Amino acid sequence: PLSLVLADIDFFKKINDVHGHNMGDEVLKWLSRNIAAQARETDFVARYGGEEFIILMPNTNTAEAQNFAKRLRKNIASSVFRWGTKKIRVTLSLGVSSLTPDLINRLDLIRRTDEALYRAKNTGRNRVCTYD
């Protein structure tokens, strides 16, 4: 089994617009440390696009990846990002998909995971959706 998780910071543009790009950069660093700390040694974590992160999870089925994504979402939502005297809450929308026999190439796995991510964003944000 192989699963993919895409995480996107909700309203990241607002963070940059209200608090400045330097704080936005610090949020990205803070989030990357948090994701890496919660991922396993066998997982691959990377920034993917502007404010998106990708977590490639070998030997992980959909349910296990979904559980990881739910724990990550809860952990970030319950944390407070601090930078100097500023404090903000950050939330994530996450999409989850797994390798299945019908996938022709890796781009299909990314496309499916991206569809799940957009469903999470379009249905209220700060949630996890899986590809159906």
Side-chain angles (χ1 to χ4, degrees):
L2 175 74
S3 292
L4 183 66
V5 177
L6 276 175
D8 187 82
I9 302 172
D10 295 326
F11 305 109
F12 185 68
K13 182 181 180 334
K14 184 177 178 183
I15 293 171
N16 280 332
D17 291 348
V18 172
H19 302 287
H21 290 275
N22 287 340
M23 186 167 170
D25 288 346
E26 294 302 318
V27 167
L28 291 170
K29 292 174 189 175
W30 172 79
L31 185 58
S32 67
R33 287 190 301 272
N34 273 276
I35 295 171
Q38 293 181 63
R40 305 167 302 182
E41 285 186 24
T42 55
D43 297 336
F44 177 78
V45 178
R47 189 168 167 198
Y48 184 76
E51 70 273 3
E52 291 181 347
F53 290 85
I54 193 166
I55 304 103
L56 186 62
M57 305 180 79
N59 300 314
T60 307
N61 64 32
T62 304
E64 294 165 331
Q66 184 180 29
N67 287 337
F68 165 81
K70 287 179 178 179
R71 282 191 313 273
L72 177 62
R73 186 203 63 75
K74 280 184 179 179
N75 179 279
I76 297 303
S78 66
S79 299
V80 176
F81 170 78
R82 291 178 169 84
W83 192 53
T85 60
K86 296 180 181 183
K87 293 188 259 186
I88 62 168
R89 296 246 181 222
V90 176
T91 61
L92 297 176
S93 295
L94 298 104
V96 177
S97 183
S98 297
L99 193 61
T100 57
D102 63 316
L103 286 174
I104 296 170
N105 62 51
R106 68 181 181 271
L107 296 178
D108 287 337
L109 180 61
I110 294 169
R111 180 189 52 76
R112 286 181 175 184
T113 311
D114 202 40
E115 283 181 27
L117 170 63
Y118 276 95
R119 189 167 51 258
K121 293 190 94 53
N122 291 329
T123 57
R125 300 180 194 260
N126 192 24
R127 65 188 63 220
V128 174
C129 287
T130 57
Y131 179 82
D132 297 324

